[in-house]
Amino acid sequence: MTPRAAILAGVTAAALLASGGVLASALNDLPQDAVPIQDPTAALNRQTPAQTPPPLEPEPEAAPAPATPIAVTPPAPVIVVAGTEEDADEEEEAVEEAPAKRVEAPTEPARRQRRRVAIVEAIDKITAESMRFEVEVGGRPVRFQRTLIFTARACEVSAPDEQVSDSVAYLEVSLQPRGVIQVNEPRQIFRGWMFASSPAVSGLQHPIYDAWIVGCKA
């Protein structure tokens, strides 16, 4: 092989590798079709497995009752004598010298646990078709009904010290009809936090589509 042919072969190989990398990056940004799942909702917000309660302690053994009644003598009354002014001054000095009580700092609340996948449920109000599917946080967007595109930025479950078990997710939802040639950019119709405990308040409300967060999972 001549040096010129070797140089041309090297340039051609480099160009093919570069075009392959650009093509792979472009394919990774394209939305993928939603796939229905059947995960139960109750298992999504569960923090830790239920713990078996500790066994009950045995009751203490009581002493047997006496055979004959026992006479109880009431204590003698305590007579309080008013002190002098010197005694009052000494009491005030003792109170002032008493050390102040330590005020404990409030404990910091536990942080919410982050999850890798958001579980979303969407419905087409015209065809009455609904689907529950997964959207990976920071991953490829997911397309529902060939038009609705979901992107997940975060998904968290409530901390153990919170009173209500909940799942929250930060989602971006866009509209873009699927076609051979994408002429228009996706039009964003929702961006913000969705709460599984209040889907009617924080979910997507659209003339055609409704969508809300169901839970998060690792």
Side-chain angles (χ1 to χ4, degrees):
M1 179 181 292
T2 62
R4 183 177 181 181
I7 294 173
L8 291 176
V11 172
T12 304
L16 290 176
L17 289 175
S19 62
V22 173
L23 181 59
S25 177
L27 290 176
N28 191 37
D29 294 336
L30 291 177
Q32 56 185 344
D33 293 334
V35 179
I37 62 172
Q38 299 296 331
D39 286 353
T41 306
L44 297 175
N45 301 333
R46 187 167 52 214
Q47 300 289 334
T48 55
Q51 298 180 357
T52 305
L56 297 177
E57 296 182 359
E59 297 182 357
E61 297 181 358
T68 58
I70 300 175
V72 178
T73 304
V78 179
I79 300 175
V80 180
V81 180
T84 61
E85 295 181 358
E86 295 180 357
D87 297 336
D89 295 339
E90 292 178 358
E91 291 180 0
E92 291 179 359
E93 292 178 359
V95 172
E96 292 178 356
E97 293 177 358
K101 295 182 180 180
R102 282 184 68 183
V103 179
E104 298 182 357
T107 57
E108 295 184 358
R111 299 186 62 180
R112 290 184 170 180
Q113 302 176 14
R114 295 187 177 183
R115 295 291 186 261
R116 187 178 55 88
V117 178
I119 309 299
V120 180
E121 188 164 353
I123 183 173
D124 187 333
K125 292 186 284 189
I126 296 178
T127 62
E129 180 180 354
S130 63
M131 182 186 299
R132 181 175 296 184
F133 52 90
E134 299 180 354
V135 183
E136 184 179 358
V137 176
R140 291 180 60 184
V142 177
R143 186 188 298 270
F144 171 73
Q145 286 292 86
R146 304 175 62 89
T147 304
L148 216 57
I149 301 175
F150 291 85
T151 303
R153 301 301 181 188
C155 198
E156 302 175 351
V157 295
S158 55
D161 58 351
E162 294 188 31
Q163 297 181 356
V164 179
S165 297
D166 198 2
S167 295
V168 295
Y170 192 89
L171 299 179
E172 296 177 358
V173 186
S174 303
L175 276 175
Q176 184 184 39
R178 187 174 184 177
V180 179
I181 301 177
Q182 301 293 349
V183 179
N184 299 324
E185 292 292 328
R187 181 170 62 90
Q188 191 173 87
I189 59 176
F190 180 87
R191 182 178 64 180
W193 290 97
M194 288 187 180
F195 295 80
S197 60
S198 56
V201 177
S202 61
L204 168 68
Q205 297 179 357
H206 186 265
I208 301 176
Y209 302 103
D210 280 348
W212 57 94
I213 181 71
V214 176
C216 304
K217 77 173 189 178

